Amino acid sequence: MSQIQNRVTPITKLTAVSSDPSMSGRVYSLTAADHAMELHSGAVVIYYNENPFGSFILDPMRESLSRVLSLYPTVTGRLTRSENGNWAVKANDAGVRVTMTKVGTTLDEWLRSADSAEERNLAPFEEMPENPYIWSPFRIQINEFEGGGVAIGVSFTHLTADPTSATFLLKAWADAHRGEPVSPPIFTRPSIGDGEQIPNTATKSTSFYANKSKTWTQNQPASTTKMASATFKFSNSTINQWLSKTEHHCPNATPFDLLAALFWKQVLQIKGLSQNELNHSLSICTDFRTSFQSSQRFYFGNALLFSELSVSSKDMEQWDLGEIMGLIHSHLEKLGEEDEIRTAMEWLESRKEKGGKYAAPFKMYGPELTCVSMEHMGVKLSYATKFVRDSKAVHVSYNVGNCEGDGLIVVMASNEEGVARNVMVMLPEREMAELCKDGAILRFNPTVILGGL
């Protein structure tokens, strides 16, 4: 991985506030699903070949951000504790921290040479202090590259939002800047599990959550394993070719089915897991906004479901790619059929101490190998954040903090139309180096950026 450091230099720091503080004073309670994500942070970085900003301090870009922030009081507000001890956001128009930086290289060179640690400098997350009442849970950073490229980074505590929510915020800002209508977000999640009923612990997700909560302890030491990541870009033609090859195993397979199966199998081989282990498991993270009515899909908060898929060591070794794809596809189809979302949310809501305070959070991404599907985003959302008409992003990164363990795989849209996909993989450094040279992966002719060897 690249050893180049300190190429991102802060130039200006300021606070962007809402242009209409009419929501000031309102308190937004966070859900059990929000509280469950407290141990993690998130970041979205969008790269452009051209800088749409000019001078942000005096530019209409700042004005359009202020207009959009009027619709996002949980972004400009501050975290507080409600009477029962649970987290809430108080809308007080304290604003969002905005940092302007200069990057000492071109955008193309950055994508070739930066590693995962350096990319975090484009959207740095500041850990929540013990007293967060003056702390900004969202931060925006505008990074200008030599030669005119720019990257816009947003970092946030996962307690208040997920990557889809952050993308809504960025797209709303871009739409407002172009003078387009902006769809306001929804802060009240449609009712899914109220915690009043005894949760059904027999469903896949609920039993998975229950087991994770039992094995996780807040006091366990932080991992000392050095992690590394790389992003693999797969073309539309390649994905279509491989979906056609495996059609007899899984005729309705998605690009996620294909790439999740490919990386799961190859990561396990690199880890050298033996048949002494009866089963190999993969945690799959999906977004459940697609289960809402269309008018409710702009929900701003956490709408993620984690479930576990297991396969025997013998089958994993003997099955070909198409058979593993079929297993993943079937698993995801059954999540909707078996009411996994409702029962999982009921279980999270039921974890309350005396007085109504939610139980302590546990690690959601990891420590087991976790694969995140961003299929619900697609090119139309991920790459539709256009500050200048017809100036589409050249790359979008989604990153999660505190997910060390067996590793993280994120399958997301590419800037190429069709079924092209990018896959960001985070693994222990030695395993990441082997994955970048893995023959089965290289058969797909990926372009490797942001961490490739």
Side-chain angles (χ1 to χ4, degrees), residues 230-234 256-270 282 321 324 328 369 371 408-411 422-425 427 432 435-436 438 441 444 446:
T231 297
F232 299 78
K233 299 171 69 72
F234 297 91
F256 175 79
D257 300 330
L258 170 64
L259 294 168
L262 173 67
F263 280 91
W264 185 18
K265 186 175 180 67
Q266 298 315 118
V267 168
L268 286 178
Q269 289 187 2
I270 288 170
L282 180 70
L321 185 61
I324 301 172
I328 292 172
L369 185 64
C371 188
L408 179 71
I409 303 165
V410 183
V411 181
N422 296 342
V423 183
M424 190 283 290
V425 184
L427 292 171
M432 189 73 250
L435 188 70
C436 288
D438 182 81
I441 302 288
F444 284 68

Side-chain angles (χ1 to χ4, degrees), residues 3 44 88 138 183 266 301 331 334 355 370 373 376 379 405 423 431:
Q3 299 300 313
V44 180
F138 282 81
S183 299
Q266 298 315 118
H331 172 81
K334 290 178 180 177
T370 303
S373 171
H376 65 287
V379 176
V423 183
E431 296 172 7

